[in-house]
Short mmCIF file of all heavy atoms in Angstrom, two decimals:
data_model
loop_
_atom_site.label_atom_id
_atom_site.label_comp_id
_atom_site.label_asym_id
_atom_site.label_seq_id
_atom_site.Cartn_x
_atom_site.Cartn_y
_atom_site.Cartn_z
N GLY A 13 20.75 26.06 -18.09
CA GLY A 13 20.44 27.48 -18.00
C GLY A 13 21.63 28.19 -17.52
O GLY A 13 22.78 27.90 -17.72
N THR A 14 21.35 29.29 -16.75
CA THR A 14 22.40 30.14 -16.20
C THR A 14 23.00 29.50 -14.95
O THR A 14 24.10 29.88 -14.67
CB THR A 14 21.84 31.49 -15.84
OG1 THR A 14 20.75 31.37 -14.96
CG2 THR A 14 21.36 32.22 -17.15
N ALA A 15 22.26 28.62 -14.31
CA ALA A 15 22.79 27.96 -13.06
C ALA A 15 22.02 26.66 -12.82
O ALA A 15 20.76 26.63 -12.97
CB ALA A 15 22.76 28.88 -11.87
N LEU A 16 22.60 25.64 -12.33
CA LEU A 16 21.99 24.44 -11.94
C LEU A 16 21.28 24.59 -10.62
O LEU A 16 20.22 24.13 -10.38
CB LEU A 16 22.99 23.25 -11.91
CG LEU A 16 22.37 21.92 -11.37
CD1 LEU A 16 21.45 21.35 -12.36
CD2 LEU A 16 23.55 20.98 -11.08
N LEU A 17 21.99 25.32 -9.69
CA LEU A 17 21.48 25.43 -8.34
C LEU A 17 21.22 26.85 -7.95
O LEU A 17 21.94 27.72 -8.33
CB LEU A 17 22.54 24.78 -7.34
CG LEU A 17 23.07 23.39 -7.59
CD1 LEU A 17 24.17 23.06 -6.64
CD2 LEU A 17 21.93 22.41 -7.52
N THR A 18 20.24 27.02 -7.13
CA THR A 18 20.02 28.36 -6.51
C THR A 18 19.75 28.17 -5.05
O THR A 18 19.21 27.12 -4.64
CB THR A 18 18.85 29.05 -7.12
OG1 THR A 18 17.66 28.27 -7.00
CG2 THR A 18 19.10 29.32 -8.63
N SER A 19 20.24 29.06 -4.13
CA SER A 19 20.04 28.90 -2.72
C SER A 19 18.85 29.80 -2.29
O SER A 19 18.87 30.96 -2.68
CB SER A 19 21.31 29.29 -2.01
OG SER A 19 22.32 28.34 -2.31
N THR A 20 17.98 29.28 -1.64
CA THR A 20 16.84 30.08 -1.11
C THR A 20 16.76 29.96 0.40
O THR A 20 16.75 28.91 0.89
CB THR A 20 15.50 29.51 -1.78
OG1 THR A 20 15.69 29.46 -3.16
CG2 THR A 20 14.29 30.41 -1.36
N ALA A 21 16.60 31.10 1.01
CA ALA A 21 16.45 31.10 2.49
C ALA A 21 15.19 30.35 2.83
O ALA A 21 14.19 30.72 2.44
CB ALA A 21 16.55 32.47 3.06
N LEU A 22 15.32 29.38 3.82
CA LEU A 22 14.09 28.70 4.30
C LEU A 22 13.69 29.25 5.68
O LEU A 22 12.52 29.57 5.89
CB LEU A 22 14.39 27.20 4.46
CG LEU A 22 14.53 26.40 3.16
CD1 LEU A 22 14.73 24.94 3.49
CD2 LEU A 22 13.25 26.51 2.31
N SER A 23 14.69 29.30 6.53
CA SER A 23 14.32 29.71 7.95
C SER A 23 15.53 30.02 8.66
O SER A 23 16.64 29.74 8.30
CB SER A 23 13.56 28.55 8.67
OG SER A 23 14.35 27.46 8.84
N THR A 24 15.40 30.71 9.75
CA THR A 24 16.45 30.91 10.76
C THR A 24 16.08 30.31 12.15
O THR A 24 15.01 30.61 12.57
CB THR A 24 16.72 32.32 10.93
OG1 THR A 24 17.05 32.99 9.63
CG2 THR A 24 17.85 32.62 11.88
N GLN A 25 16.93 29.33 12.60
CA GLN A 25 16.59 28.73 13.79
C GLN A 25 16.57 29.74 14.95
O GLN A 25 17.19 30.74 14.88
CB GLN A 25 17.70 27.65 14.15
CG GLN A 25 17.72 26.55 13.11
CD GLN A 25 16.57 25.66 13.15
OE1 GLN A 25 15.90 25.47 14.14
NE2 GLN A 25 16.22 25.01 11.99
N PRO A 26 15.84 29.49 16.04
CA PRO A 26 15.83 30.39 17.20
C PRO A 26 17.19 30.65 17.76
O PRO A 26 17.94 29.69 17.77
CB PRO A 26 14.91 29.67 18.22
CG PRO A 26 14.06 28.75 17.36
CD PRO A 26 14.96 28.34 16.25
#
Side-chain angles (χ1 to χ4, degrees):
T14 57
L16 175 72
L17 307 176
T18 59
S19 295
T20 306
L22 288 182
S23 65
T24 301
Q25 299 289 334

